[in-house]
Amino acid sequence: MAPGQAGAWAALGPLLWGCALALQGGMLYPRESPSRERKELDGLWSFRADFSDNRRQGFERQWYRRPLRESGPTLDMPVPSSFNDMGQDAQLRDFIGWVWYEREVALPQRWSQDLDTRVVLRIGSAHYYAIVWVNGVHVAEHEGGHLPFEADISKLVQSGPLASCRITIAINNTLTPHTLPPGTIQYKTDTSKYPKGYFVQDIKFDFFNYAGLHRPVLLYTTPTAYIDDITVTTGMDQDTGLVNYQVFVQGSEHFELEVCLRDEEGKVVAEGTGGRGQLQVPSANLWWPYLMHEHPAYLYSLEVKLTAQTAAGPASDFYTLPVGIRTVAVTESQFLINGKPFYFHGVNKHEDADIRGKGFDWSLLMKDFNLLRWLGANSFRTSHYPYAEEVMQLCDRYGIVVIDECPGVGIVLPESYGNVSLQHHLEVMEELVRRDKNHPAVVMWSVANEPASFLKPAGYYFKTVIAHTKTLDPSRPVTFVTNSNYAADLGVPYVDVICVNSYYSWYHDYGHLEVIQLQLATQFESWYRAYQKPVIQSEYGAETIAGFHQDPPLMFSEEYQRSLLERYHSVLDQKRKEYVVGELIWNFADFMTNQTPQRALGNKKGIFTRQRQPKSAAFLLRDRYWKLANETR
């Protein structure tokens, strides 16, 4: 979409858009180095929701051309956060359409005067479709609410004397059949029941559609000749670690690259030159998962130095990438890390908390990681979208293994399997792999969660997505999270590991705990007989209201949750000796959903409350996970 089309595109209405421009180049996390600086833009931004009937007043009146406060009343909005729960206005909490953010930033003088400096605006996440202007000039558009995007704004900030840099971001949280996750807009046309023009967003996934600038926004610099991307894969040759690297450079065709690998004490253990090569590390310290080794999560540092010739003379760029040396492999019945069987005993999570919604928060993140380690969990799945980059970095540091899932949840409509949706799904997988490919904690890609794969086009659709993902990253297995109700699941034949969600004695056979073992054993046997692939119980659980007690157990009581888990565990203990390679509880903590008669202030399947306080099931799971860790170490 050309920059000048923003207004015309908006005129199509608040609920429709075309395909975003595909990202080009690398997506290295912005780290400071001798050649790079960064400026955080977190804090209070000016905010305004476009409450006009057609939601396009901001484009018609070109709010981006002058300070947002001149367009009308604005609110102070914290970034990162969701905007939904920040105020007392129910209209804003459930708002669908365009919202506008703005921040004026004072730039260091050298950024605006040094033409050998490249200035980049990076947005960690904008849910769902974003258009960005700097000083009223269109610089970027992005579709997808869970992955970062960037814009080189050097020419704008270096075009003359600048006292400040005004950044304006318009975000539309509308979901269509072609977005990930998909959704539809339902127009209520019965004027005896609804006001004229009334509509609601309909979704087929079970979490609240929080929106806003959810992750950090920042500016960073590089030289004009710079390290654009690095790809690392690792292996082992007996006790020698192998680090295969490829470095991509932009801004110069005449350059030299030097690479060195340092251990945790800072000692150089291997060196190389050129844009591609292999570093060999004798007696390498491997990256092991938490509780699988006495020294888990060992990280080396790959230091890359670029020396380039530019029109202004020689220039240097430096980038340091954490590297974990480890291998991943799958057999018919095992998942192997560093050649040893690995058993996933972990959780599913959501980026969700009181007030901040899906907004990134270091305090909350550290609390969650401390709870994971207390629990004895060695893994989690990023249900049902990619999590913040900082989460992946902590997983690398602490040895928490990750199944990295794209936002392919709630794909149940026939129109969500057409070419438009497929193309977007492929682009999302490219963005996800580009961002997370170098994290040793990421051991598997998940391309979808519980899609209605019995629909006719689903087989071609998921075969294409899975094949594309394997092409993007041949070093990791690919999974597809299915539901045992979908017996004709057409995506499963192409994956490496089968992830199965089931809720026996919860969504059916309500209250009848006695049928769980038989039904769960039948499930496992059916999947393995059909596909001869390792199986992970990727979701199971029960809704539980903290403090509700009933004995004998009744649904929603803490006793029912415990009893249900214990019955699952008895079958898992049998099958993990054969071909079941993991169990991930649903869910780590309670989380918010849309309002329905089935949900009392959100989904209550967490073993912790939304405020991260334990239910009795948390202690049950802790005993189990530490026992599993001791048995499988």
Side-chain angles (χ1 to χ4, degrees):
M1 184 181 301
Q5 292 180 316
W9 172 79
L12 294 175
L15 314 174
L16 299 172
W17 52 73
C19 293
L21 294 171
L23 277 181
Q24 310 234 341
M27 193 52 63
L28 292 174
Y29 186 77
R31 302 178 186 276
E32 289 188 310
S33 76
S35 58
R36 297 176 175 228
E37 298 176 272
R38 54 183 278 167
K39 182 178 180 65
E40 312 287 342
L41 303 185
D42 296 351
L44 294 181
W45 289 52
S46 295
F47 173 89
R48 185 177 182 188
D50 187 342
F51 286 109
S52 62
D53 290 341
N54 61 12
R55 300 293 198 270
R56 64 175 185 257
Q57 184 183 93
F59 291 98
E60 293 169 346
R61 300 186 180 179
Q62 299 183 336
W63 288 354
Y64 52 88
R65 290 203 175 275
R66 60 189 190 279
L68 191 60
R69 63 182 178 274
E70 296 180 12
S71 70
T74 61
L75 303 174
D76 287 335
M77 185 63 64
V79 173
S81 76
S82 302
F83 63 74
N84 307 80
D85 291 341
M86 283 298 144
Q88 299 304 109
D89 186 351
Q91 188 181 11
L92 182 60
R93 183 181 188 275
D94 297 314
F95 181 80
I96 300 296
W98 288 102
V99 298
W100 294 69
Y101 285 79
E102 188 173 271
R103 172 80 180 264
E104 293 198 12
V105 184
L107 297 178
Q109 190 176 58
R110 62 187 175 279
W111 289 22
S112 58
Q113 294 184 354
D114 184 358
L115 300 183
D116 295 326
T117 295
R118 176 173 166 266
V119 182
V120 182
L121 170 64
R122 184 184 180 95
I123 297 165
S125 171
H127 188 80
Y128 179 82
Y129 192 102
I131 305 177
V132 185
W133 298 263
V134 172
N135 295 330
V137 178
H138 175 281
V139 297
E141 296 185 24
H142 184 256
E143 181 176 2
H146 308 93
L147 290 163
F149 61 102
E150 297 181 342
D152 185 333
I153 63 171
S154 308
K155 292 182 180 179
L156 287 173
V157 301
Q158 295 168 352
S159 59
L162 272 182
S164 65
C165 171
R166 181 168 53 85
I167 300 169
T168 309
I169 307 174
I171 304 173
N172 194 322
N173 64 342
T174 309
L175 301 178
T176 77
H178 307 303
T179 59
L180 282 182
T184 57
I185 295 297
Q186 294 185 347
Y187 293 93
K188 307 291 187 176
T189 57
D190 185 344
T191 55
S192 69
K193 295 181 179 179
Y194 305 100
K196 184 180 178 181
Y198 190 83
F199 64 87
V200 294
Q201 172 83 74
D202 183 55
I203 55 177
K204 303 299 182 184
F205 53 84
D206 189 34
F207 53 92
F208 191 75
N209 186 34
Y210 279 114
L213 290 173
H214 286 153
R215 296 174 188 161
V217 180
L218 56 88
L219 294 166
Y220 74 93
T221 66
T222 73
T224 52
Y226 61 97
I227 299 162
D228 180 56
D229 198 12
I230 303 170
T231 299
V232 167
T233 59
T234 62
M236 287 293 297
D237 181 4
Q238 297 182 356
D239 70 339
T240 299
L242 307 176
V243 178
N244 304 296
Y245 67 89
Q246 188 171 8
V247 181
F248 300 87
V249 172
Q250 292 285 352
S252 175
E253 296 182 357
H254 306 285
F255 58 85
E256 295 179 354
L257 285 165
E258 300 173 52
V259 176
C260 78
L261 192 71
R262 295 183 183 271
D263 63 18
E264 288 188 346
E265 285 71 46
K267 178 184 175 183
V268 175
V269 296
E271 295 180 282
T273 59
R276 182 196 298 260
Q278 182 181 86
L279 304 179
Q280 298 187 2
V281 187
S283 303
N285 293 299
L286 300 186
W287 187 95
W288 289 99
Y290 176 53
L291 300 178
M292 197 174 176
H293 191 271
E294 59 182 352
H295 299 297
Y298 193 95
L299 291 174
Y300 291 89
S301 296
L302 183 71
E303 296 182 353
V304 181
K305 177 183 177 182
L306 165 71
T307 304
Q309 295 299 322
T310 70
S316 297
D317 189 22
F318 303 85
Y319 192 88
T320 300
L321 179 74
V323 170
I325 299 175
R326 62 105 181 94
T327 63
V328 173
V330 175
T331 71
E332 283 189 359
S333 59
Q334 291 182 316
F335 194 99
L336 305 174
I337 295 181
N338 299 330
K340 293 188 176 182
F342 176 76
Y343 187 78
F344 295 79
H345 47 88
V347 301
N348 293 276
K349 292 182 88 276
H350 265 297
E351 290 186 316
D352 172 280
D354 288 330
I355 301 175
R356 60 187 67 79
K358 290 192 179 301
F360 178 80
D361 184 306
W362 274 114
S363 299
L364 179 71
L365 182 59
M366 288 311 307
K367 178 65 174 178
D368 282 1
F369 269 78
N370 286 331
L371 287 174
L372 286 171
R373 293 191 291 174
W374 172 86
L375 198 62
N378 64 8
S379 54
F380 67 78
R381 167 172 154 243
T382 68
S383 47
H384 296 296
Y385 39 82
Y387 292 175
E389 296 164 275
E390 293 81 359
V391 176
M392 300 294 103
Q393 292 165 13
L394 280 188
C395 289
D396 291 342
R397 287 176 56 185
Y398 293 135
I400 303 297
V401 168
V402 177
I403 300 174
D404 208 351
E405 189 162 283
C406 82
V409 57
I411 307 177
V412 299
L413 301 171
E415 53 266 50
S416 294
Y417 285 103
N419 288 334
V420 174
S421 297
L422 176 58
Q423 182 60 36
H424 180 49
H425 203 144
L426 297 177
E427 290 172 357
V428 168
M429 292 310 303
E430 289 177 10
E431 291 186 25
L432 175 58
V433 172
R434 184 181 299 143
R435 191 196 74 167
D436 290 348
K437 61 187 176 182
N438 294 322
H439 289 288
V442 175
V443 300
M444 188 156 44
W445 306 111
S446 172
V447 301
N449 175 77
E450 293 187 16
S453 47
F454 51 79
L455 293 171
K456 187 175 181 180
Y460 171 78
Y461 183 100
F462 284 112
K463 180 180 180 179
T464 303
V465 174
I466 293 166
H468 185 62
T469 305
K470 290 184 175 184
T471 301
L472 292 169
D473 179 17
S475 71
R476 290 177 177 87
V478 176
T479 190
F480 170 105
V481 183
T482 186
N483 183 304
S484 58
N485 292 334
Y486 299 150
D489 209 328
L490 298 177
V492 170
Y494 313 112
V495 300
D496 303 297
V497 177
I498 300 171
C499 285
V500 183
N501 299 345
S502 58
Y503 291 91
Y504 299 119
S505 302
W506 187 257
Y507 287 124
H508 45 83
D509 295 310
Y510 322 122
H512 293 285
L513 294 166
E514 65 275 6
V515 304
I516 289 176
Q517 285 102 322
L518 175 60
Q519 293 182 2
L520 184 60
T522 300
Q523 166 202 278
F524 286 139
E525 290 160 8
S526 298
W527 282 111
Y528 192 71
R529 187 186 312 116
Y531 298 106
Q532 299 291 300
K533 296 179 180 181
V535 180
I536 295 175
Q537 182 67 44
S538 44
E539 289 183 25
Y540 69 108
E543 206 97 3
T544 307
I545 300 175
F548 275 34
H549 297 282
Q550 288 287 325
D551 189 35
L554 294 180
M555 293 178 74
F556 294 97
S557 69
E558 295 198 36
E559 288 73 19
Y560 193 90
Q561 187 182 40
R562 285 184 61 108
S563 296
L564 183 146
L565 299 188
E566 287 171 337
R567 291 169 190 258
Y568 264 83
H569 295 163
S570 67
V571 179
L572 287 164
D573 281 338
Q574 298 169 22
K575 299 302 179 183
R576 67 185 173 90
K577 299 172 184 177
E578 303 175 38
Y579 49 79
V580 170
V581 297
E583 54 191 78
L584 304 175
I585 188 74
W586 189 270
N587 192 283
F588 173 73
D590 296 345
F591 57 91
M592 188 51 62
T593 65
N594 275 2
Q595 299 180 68
T596 72
Q598 291 76 37
R599 294 282 181 253
L601 296 176
N603 189 306
K604 295 288 193 295
K605 290 192 181 71
I607 58 170
F608 297 99
T609 67
R610 201 178 188 210
Q611 295 73 36
R612 276 47 179 184
Q613 296 305 311
K615 303 175 188 178
S616 61
F619 298 96
L620 170 73
L621 213 62
R622 183 174 192 261
D623 289 343
R624 174 171 179 78
Y625 283 179
W626 281 99
K627 180 181 178 182
L628 286 171
N630 290 329
E631 288 179 4
T632 56
R633 179 175 295 185

